[in-house]
Amino acid sequence: MDRIKYAPYKDKVQTPEKAALLIKNRDVLGVSGFTKAGDSKTVLPQVAERALYEDLKVTVLSGASLGYDTDADLAKNGALYKRMPFQADPTLRKSINNHEVLYVDQHLGQTADMLQSIDTFKIDVAIIEAVAVTEEGYIIPTTSVGNSPIFTEKADKIIIEINKTFPETLAGVHDVKFLKKQPHRDVIPIRDPDTRIGVPYIKIDPEKVAAIVFTEVPDSPAVIAAPDEKTTAISNHILGFLEKEVDEGRLTESLLPLQAGIGKTANAILSGFTKSRFKNLTMYSEVLQDSTFELFDSGKLVFASASSITVTEECSRRVFGDFEKYKDKLVLRPQNISNAAEVISRLGVIGINTAIEFDIYGNVNSTHITGTKMMNGIGGSGDFARNGYLSIFACPSMSKGGKISHIVPMVSHTDHTEHDVDILVTEQGLADIRGLAPIERARVIIENCVHPEYKEQLTQYFEEAYKQGGHTPHILQKAFSWHTRFKNQGTMKIQEYADDHA
Amino acid sequence: MDRIKYAPYKDKVQTPEKAALLIKNRDVLGVSGFTKAGDSKTVLPQVAERALYEDLKVTVLSGASLGYDTDADLAKNGALYKRMPFQADPTLRKSINNHEVLYVDQHLGQTADMLQSIDTFKIDVAIIEAVAVTEEGYIIPTTSVGNSPIFTEKADKIIIEINKTFPETLAGVHDVKFLKKQPHRDVIPIRDPDTRIGVPYIKIDPEKVAAIVFTEVPDSPAVIAAPDEKTTAISNHILGFLEKEVDEGRLTESLLPLQAGIGKTANAILSGFTKSRFKNLTMYSEVLQDSTFELFDSGKLVFASASSITVTEECSRRVFGDFEKYKDKLVLRPQNISNAAEVISRLGVIGINTAIEFDIYGNVNSTHITGTKMMNGIGGSGDFARNGYLSIFACPSMSKGGKISHIVPMVSHTDHTEHDVDILVTEQGLADIRGLAPIERARVIIENCVHPEYKEQLTQYFEEAYKQGGHTPHILQKAFSWHTRFKNQGTMKIQEYADDHA
């Protein structure tokens, strides 16, 4: 109980089961949680549980993805009407693609603004994980800040979920600032990744707090595959490119603040920096993975700003077991500040994100399998790609034993347009398409990024299209032929080319 | 000669013919000019002229489109190797689509950043139109600022073209600030459209000035068709929507700063505001057309910020004949500030731009005809759509006597993704797609925006795709069938539906 330093809250403490009863059918919930970090571990799962026995369907807005099977259980039990702005759960994904759950795939930096500009999502209940409550009744978040500030501001009721597995030393790592709706919005005065502009807690109206629960469930641990030959090659291509930028005087050895997406490839790319010649690196990112702490430990990284910390079990022990070691090198911000266009453009962030596929003209698909099926969502990749100094997208050139080429004639869904992409990289190589016209881009992408098994086939498409003319040559009838061939024949390969490589 | 207040320049005065000889084969030129305003009227045309008789091919970077036939003559005479970041000329367009000229279609707010981050385009010669030169040898621009500051900063040599047709009272309307390359970039402290942060001239190194020429050719006048039934209907739908936002308390009667694209539709939309109930309106835009001055004259508009003024002959006489009347209500900025993500997001700009086509899920094509042929370019639409408070795209529902529907199953080129589009509008009606999942968007777009002659046909596509499942239902084999039908049969209409309406 000593984590509740505001006396009037003490009689609000109750069981998760009882707290969850505050949630009614058709409610809109704003829940903490960003890339599995700092989410509700007891109350929100109770909503899923209740949906098994009663008519309970809610809209859930979060920071980003939730941990454990919370999203899966909500979906499976029919508790979800609409979900936004991000998810990464296989069961929920299936429900979305089956039209059982409506999903709004949104730039992570823009949900707070949307809540200020439309009334569609009046938040009935906010469920926010906390490490403790201050003497004023304010919330000290755990491993993510996400959209929690705007959710508490807009909510009718707030449920606080105090997680005792996190050390109270987490207090102080957060920097929370509310942004006013335009035209009253002020400058976001962040000039460096370590600039602090707010307070280390979420200021709320204590009158809104309807329940407080305790939990001792740690964050759902990240599981990240170790770097392999392909991801290491990708990392090396990026390091080589950045070294050249330094050699030729366009960047210094501390580069510019780095952002990296989530997952194996992004983690491997960032890990690669531990053995690089760069120094005094900084991060201005949305999520910090194991690689961030590797970079701290190697002495390469001096500061990291983000909205969440999502690490493996081993890394979690290391980091939270001795948090004082890292605390003054870290800040966790609301996601409308970690992902703010204003700050990303001012600092000149180098954004490194992963693609599902990209095309010969530099358009990137980050979300949809064959143009129709949602994978996870765009996340914050667009916030960084659109407004940063450099926008890098990476993926393997080929997968499924050669059946899929990740470079295609035309992407089947566009998340990042040709105008917003600077660098494309696969294990084969890197294409710097800055300042290039589409036909120049096609040549360098085919030459540098495509797997040898697909090079001839893609060259053939480009040449046939080129002959028909046009600034961005395409043969519309064949633009998606690779995707439909994969769907119908199980491979993107045209037989004659496949035979060549047999 | 009294327009040159810096004595050492006086012996640099020469003829355009001689000044143009400073330009060598393969040079990169940075030229003033934004939407036909403030461009080089004598030196750059000389480059086109010379190319008729000698081996002269150059790369031309501008603010945006150039006036008269300059781009056409450069293209026709084979003087262009590469052109960026925007053009709107039929002859140049043809050369681009025939692969005779390389074209880089770029966000207008990002060219300056690109020049700071890559060395591909070292500017050999900057050609900048001026109304006068200050006592320190600095440039006072004419009707646009555009990219002129960065061009003069990066250029080896500068040619100044003094245009005597503009009154010297133009001096003082400009506000020029250079943005440093990251990590040294500071806050852009614009808090309102009328905030001034710089100086009213372009500070240059006088040593770089290689020639000064005089011209008495006015800006190429804008020719804008009067509002018609369709554009008036579009304007009314937008006004009605904004009125509802005010009625329901989400906006005030002065709305938020407006941005409007160029051309007949955008001009008609803005003209509509003269008869609206809104008041104390402001603009934070890139180009000001006749409608801006109509709004000033009607008392609706109190201030307008942009990068250029592009008006008809009649409006030009009115505005520049008595410029003092408007001067304190206007500011012209460099385009990396008029279009800065930081400022657009802080002010919460309402961006109103036109589309070539949009699709049932809210993706917008602003640039390509049937996915291949460049029309003009993306211009600044993406700068505003991505970072503003509201992103509105408008176009007629149908054209060419019903042969083309501007709402299609899938856009043939994506310039603005589903994530960046809030409102879609045709003369049929308006779709507010904020907070909607793709299948919800499809229903409201088909219901509100599509022409009755295409409604059944588009519903049919959506329903067939819907049955196959997926977050964004598509039948890839048929996604571009409307475009290919138009190409092969001269109409997007399927015969059976056409018969229904015969």
Side-chain angles (χ1 to χ4, degrees):
Chain A
M1 288 291 267
D2 61 343
R3 293 207 178 196
I4 303 177
K5 293 175 184 67
Y6 179 70
Y9 283 170
K10 304 222 169 177
D11 52 12
K12 310 252 171 158
V13 175
Q14 48 195 260
T15 63
E17 290 77 4
K18 205 170 158 212
L21 293 176
L22 291 162
I23 291 146
K24 312 280 175 227
N25 191 23
R26 294 174 185 274
D27 269 0
V28 176
L29 312 184
V31 304
S32 66
F34 191 107
T35 52
K36 306 207 280 186
D39 58 341
S40 163
K41 278 111 184 159
T42 59
V43 179
L44 194 55
Q46 277 299 316
V47 174
E49 181 74 13
R50 278 177 56 200
L52 277 175
Y53 309 102
E54 59 179 297
D55 201 10
L56 187 64
K57 223 181 209 354
V58 295
T59 290
V60 176
L61 283 75
S62 60
S65 57
L66 304 178
Y68 297 104
D69 289 326
T70 304
D71 261 331
D73 291 341
L74 285 165
K76 204 169 55 192
N77 301 351
L80 283 180
Y81 170 68
K82 195 176 248 189
R83 181 78 177 86
M84 63 195 295
F86 188 80
Q87 63 76 39
D89 180 89
T91 305
L92 173 53
R93 183 185 299 155
K94 211 171 148 191
S95 298
I96 290 167
N97 288 318
N98 287 341
H99 306 153
E100 292 157 8
V101 177
L102 292 168
Y103 177 51
V104 184
D105 172 30
Q106 195 172 42
H107 296 301
L108 294 186
Q110 298 197 330
T111 306
D113 276 358
M114 183 202 68
L115 289 175
Q116 288 185 324
S117 68
I118 62 174
D119 299 323
T120 318
F121 307 100
K122 283 185 183 289
I123 309 284
D124 296 294
V125 184
I127 310 172
I128 311 293
E129 190 181 71
V131 70
V133 164
T134 70
E135 284 167 14
E136 301 83 4
Y138 302 154
I139 293 172
I140 301 173
T142 58
T143 44
S144 69
V145 180
N147 281 319
S148 298
I150 188 84
F151 291 157
T152 57
E153 187 184 9
K154 292 281 173 189
D156 288 337
K157 292 178 189 161
I158 300 171
I159 300 174
I160 301 174
E161 197 167 318
I162 296 179
N163 191 325
K164 288 155 80 175
T165 68
F166 291 111
E168 285 194 77
T169 52
L170 261 179
V173 78
H174 314 94
D175 184 56
V176 180
K177 167 103 183 159
F178 286 81
L179 299 183
K180 288 185 188 150
K181 184 177 173 182
Q182 301 94 345
H184 306 292
R185 183 160 300 175
D186 206 347
V187 167
I188 307 175
I190 296 174
R191 289 179 167 83
D192 291 291
D194 63 356
T195 311
R196 287 181 161 269
I197 60 170
V199 292
Y201 49 77
I202 303 172
K203 188 175 170 181
I204 58 167
D205 174 1
E207 294 297 310
K208 289 185 181 178
V209 174
I212 297 189
V213 304
F214 282 92
T215 171
E216 297 198 25
V217 183
D219 272 348
S220 189
V223 180
I224 298 171
D228 59 20
E229 208 177 313
K230 275 189 190 176
T231 57
T232 303
I234 288 172
S235 180
N236 288 337
H237 292 312
I238 293 174
L239 292 170
F241 162 76
L242 291 171
E243 277 167 11
K244 188 159 156 279
E245 294 297 296
V246 173
D247 289 342
E248 296 178 1
R250 290 183 290 272
L251 289 172
T252 69
E253 283 196 332
S254 56
L255 301 176
L256 283 165
L258 301 171
Q259 174 264 336
I262 196 162
K264 173 183 161 180
T265 305
N267 197 59
I269 292 168
L270 218 52
S271 283
F273 282 83
T274 53
K275 283 166 245 142
S276 74
R277 57 179 241 217
F278 306 119
K279 51 192 182 191
N280 297 318
L281 294 170
T282 59
M283 292 186 73
Y284 194 83
S285 196
E286 51 185 11
V287 50
L288 305 178
Q289 300 189 98
D290 286 25
S291 49
T292 295
F293 298 93
E294 274 177 55
L295 282 172
F296 276 137
D297 294 346
S298 73
K300 288 289 179 191
L301 185 67
V302 293
F303 198 86
S305 165
S307 193
S308 82
I309 298 174
T310 301
V311 288
T312 59
E313 213 162 347
E314 181 278 316
C315 187
S316 174
R317 268 194 301 272
R318 188 152 50 92
V319 171
F320 298 112
D322 184 13
F323 195 64
E324 295 293 346
K325 185 179 162 190
Y326 298 102
K327 192 162 149 186
D328 63 347
K329 298 175 189 164
L330 289 173
V331 62
L332 295 182
R333 308 180 189 275
Q335 69 198 70
N336 60 336
I337 293 181
S338 64
N339 290 30
E342 168 172 347
V343 183
I344 290 165
S345 60
R346 182 184 304 136
L347 302 187
V349 175
I350 297 176
I352 305 171
N353 290 287
T354 51
I356 287 179
E357 62 184 8
F358 57 89
D359 69 26
I360 54 173
Y361 300 116
N363 301 285
V364 170
N365 173 9
S366 303
T367 56
H368 284 69
I369 305 297
T370 59
T372 56
K373 290 201 177 164
M374 173 55 60
M375 190 67 196
N376 299 327
I378 191 168
S381 58
D383 296 321
F384 292 92
R386 178 66 180 85
N387 292 307
Y389 174 88
L390 258 184
S391 136
I392 302 174
F393 283 92
C395 67
S397 68
M398 198 170 81
S399 66
K400 298 226 186 255
K403 296 193 178 87
I404 290 176
S405 169
H406 293 272
I407 302 97
V408 291
M410 183 189 264
V411 287
S412 58
H413 185 89
T414 305
D415 291 294
H416 310 285
T417 77
E418 47 155 347
H419 312 285
D420 295 332
V421 177
D422 296 320
I423 307 290
L424 292 161
V425 55
T426 68
E427 82 290 348
Q428 297 295 318
L430 180 147
D432 179 355
I433 60 174
R434 293 176 291 174
L436 299 187
I439 57 177
E440 294 178 296
R441 285 179 228 148
R443 286 174 179 138
V444 67
I445 288 171
I446 293 174
E447 181 60 29
N448 296 2
C449 300
V450 177
H451 193 279
E453 290 186 25
Y454 277 99
K455 219 172 229 184
E456 204 179 333
Q457 185 176 325
L458 201 49
T459 303
Q460 168 67 25
Y461 175 85
F462 172 63
E463 283 179 358
E464 187 183 345
Y466 183 89
K467 276 182 211 140
Q468 303 200 5
H471 177 61
T472 304
H474 268 303
I475 305 155
L476 289 188
Q477 298 92 320
K478 296 187 181 177
F480 296 139
S481 60
W482 293 33
H483 299 89
T484 51
R485 192 177 307 113
F486 177 74
K487 202 178 161 192
N488 298 331
Q489 296 166 33
T491 178
M492 285 187 173
K493 268 189 200 148
I494 297 172
Q495 200 50 43
E496 57 179 300
Y497 297 105
D499 291 346
D500 285 352
H501 289 274
Chain B
M1 289 290 268
D2 62 344
R3 293 206 178 196
I4 304 178
K5 292 172 184 70
Y6 179 70
Y9 282 170
K10 305 224 168 176
D11 52 13
K12 309 251 172 156
V13 175
Q14 49 194 260
T15 63
E17 291 79 2
K18 206 172 156 210
L21 293 176
L22 290 162
I23 292 147
K24 312 281 176 227
N25 191 25
R26 296 174 184 275
D27 269 1
V28 176
L29 312 183
V31 305
S32 66
F34 191 107
T35 52
K36 306 207 280 185
D39 58 341
S40 163
K41 278 109 181 159
T42 58
V43 179
L44 194 55
Q46 277 300 317
V47 174
E49 181 74 14
R50 278 176 55 199
L52 277 176
Y53 309 103
E54 57 179 298
D55 202 10
L56 187 64
K57 223 181 210 353
V58 295
T59 290
V60 175
L61 283 76
S62 60
S65 57
L66 304 178
Y68 297 104
D69 291 325
T70 304
D71 261 331
D73 292 341
L74 286 166
K76 204 169 55 191
N77 300 351
L80 283 180
Y81 170 68
K82 195 176 250 190
R83 181 80 176 84
M84 64 195 295
F86 188 79
Q87 63 76 38
D89 180 88
T91 305
L92 173 53
R93 183 184 300 154
K94 210 171 150 192
S95 299
I96 289 167
N97 288 317
N98 287 342
H99 307 150
E100 291 157 9
V101 177
L102 293 168
Y103 177 50
V104 183
D105 173 29
Q106 195 171 42
H107 295 303
L108 295 186
Q110 297 197 331
T111 307
D113 276 358
M114 183 201 68
L115 290 175
Q116 288 185 325
S117 68
I118 62 174
D119 300 322
T120 318
F121 306 99
K122 285 187 182 289
I123 309 284
D124 296 294
V125 184
I127 310 174
I128 310 294
E129 190 180 70
V131 70
V133 163
T134 71
E135 283 168 16
E136 301 84 5
Y138 303 153
I139 293 172
I140 301 173
T142 60
T143 44
S144 69
V145 181
N147 282 318
S148 298
I150 187 83
F151 291 158
T152 57
E153 187 185 9
K154 292 282 174 188
D156 288 338
K157 292 177 189 163
I158 299 170
I159 299 174
I160 301 174
E161 197 167 318
I162 296 179
N163 190 326
K164 290 156 78 175
T165 68
F166 292 112
E168 285 193 78
T169 51
L170 262 178
V173 77
H174 314 93
D175 184 55
V176 181
K177 168 104 183 157
F178 286 82
L179 300 184
K180 287 186 189 151
K181 184 176 174 181
Q182 300 93 343
H184 306 291
R185 183 160 299 175
D186 206 347
V187 167
I188 306 175
I190 297 174
R191 288 177 168 82
D192 290 292
D194 63 355
T195 311
R196 287 182 162 269
I197 60 169
V199 292
Y201 48 77
I202 303 172
K203 188 176 170 181
I204 59 167
D205 174 1
E207 293 298 310
K208 288 186 182 178
V209 174
I212 298 189
V213 304
F214 283 91
T215 172
E216 297 197 25
V217 183
D219 272 348
S220 189
V223 180
I224 298 171
D228 60 20
E229 210 178 311
K230 274 190 191 176
T231 56
T232 303
I234 289 172
S235 180
N236 288 338
H237 292 312
I238 293 174
L239 292 171
F241 162 76
L242 291 172
E243 276 167 11
K244 187 160 155 279
E245 293 298 294
V246 173
D247 289 342
E248 297 179 0
R250 289 183 290 273
L251 288 172
T252 70
E253 283 196 332
S254 56
L255 301 177
L256 283 166
L258 301 171
Q259 174 264 336
I262 197 162
K264 173 184 162 181
T265 305
N267 196 59
I269 292 168
L270 217 53
S271 281
F273 282 83
T274 54
K275 283 165 245 141
S276 73
R277 59 178 241 217
F278 305 117
K279 51 192 182 189
N280 297 318
L281 295 170
T282 58
M283 292 186 73
Y284 194 83
S285 196
E286 51 183 12
V287 50
L288 305 178
Q289 296 184 262
D290 286 26
S291 50
T292 295
F293 298 93
E294 273 178 57
L295 282 171
F296 276 136
D297 294 346
S298 73
K300 288 288 180 193
L301 185 68
V302 293
F303 198 87
S305 165
S307 193
S308 82
I309 298 173
T310 301
V311 288
T312 60
E313 212 161 347
E314 182 278 315
C315 187
S316 175
R317 269 195 300 275
R318 188 153 49 93
V319 172
F320 298 112
D322 185 12
F323 195 65
E324 294 295 344
K325 185 179 162 191
Y326 298 102
K327 191 163 148 184
D328 63 348
K329 298 174 189 163
L330 289 173
V331 62
L332 294 182
R333 309 181 189 276
Q335 68 198 69
N336 59 336
I337 293 181
S338 64
N339 291 31
E342 167 172 347
V343 183
I344 291 164
S345 60
R346 181 184 306 137
L347 301 187
V349 175
I350 296 177
I352 305 171
N353 290 287
T354 50
I356 287 178
E357 61 183 8
F358 57 89
D359 69 28
I360 53 173
Y361 300 117
N363 301 285
V364 170
N365 172 10
S366 303
T367 56
H368 284 70
I369 305 296
T370 60
T372 56
K373 290 200 176 165
M374 172 55 60
M375 189 68 194
N376 299 327
I378 191 168
S381 58
D383 296 321
F384 293 92
R386 178 67 180 85
N387 292 307
Y389 173 88
L390 258 183
S391 137
I392 302 175
F393 283 92
C395 66
S397 69
M398 197 170 80
S399 66
K400 298 226 186 252
K403 296 194 178 86
I404 290 176
S405 168
H406 293 273
I407 301 97
V408 291
M410 182 189 265
V411 287
S412 57
H413 185 89
T414 306
D415 291 295
H416 310 287
T417 76
E418 48 157 346
H419 312 284
D420 295 331
V421 177
D422 296 320
I423 307 290
L424 292 162
V425 56
T426 68
E427 82 290 348
Q428 297 294 319
L430 179 146
D432 179 354
I433 60 173
R434 293 176 293 174
L436 300 186
I439 57 178
E440 293 179 295
R441 284 180 229 148
R443 286 173 180 139
V444 67
I445 289 170
I446 293 173
E447 182 60 29
N448 295 3
C449 301
V450 176
H451 194 279
E453 292 187 24
Y454 277 99
K455 221 173 229 183
E456 204 179 333
Q457 185 175 325
L458 201 49
T459 303
Q460 168 66 27
Y461 175 85
F462 172 64
E463 284 179 357
E464 188 183 345
Y466 183 87
K467 276 181 211 141
Q468 303 202 3
H471 176 61
T472 304
H474 267 302
I475 304 156
L476 290 188
Q477 297 92 321
K478 296 186 181 179
F480 296 139
S481 59
W482 292 33
H483 299 89
T484 53
R485 192 178 306 113
F486 176 74
K487 202 179 161 192
N488 299 331
Q489 297 165 35
T491 178
M492 285 187 175
K493 270 191 197 146
I494 297 172
Q495 200 51 43
E496 58 178 300
Y497 297 104
D499 292 345
D500 285 351
H501 289 274

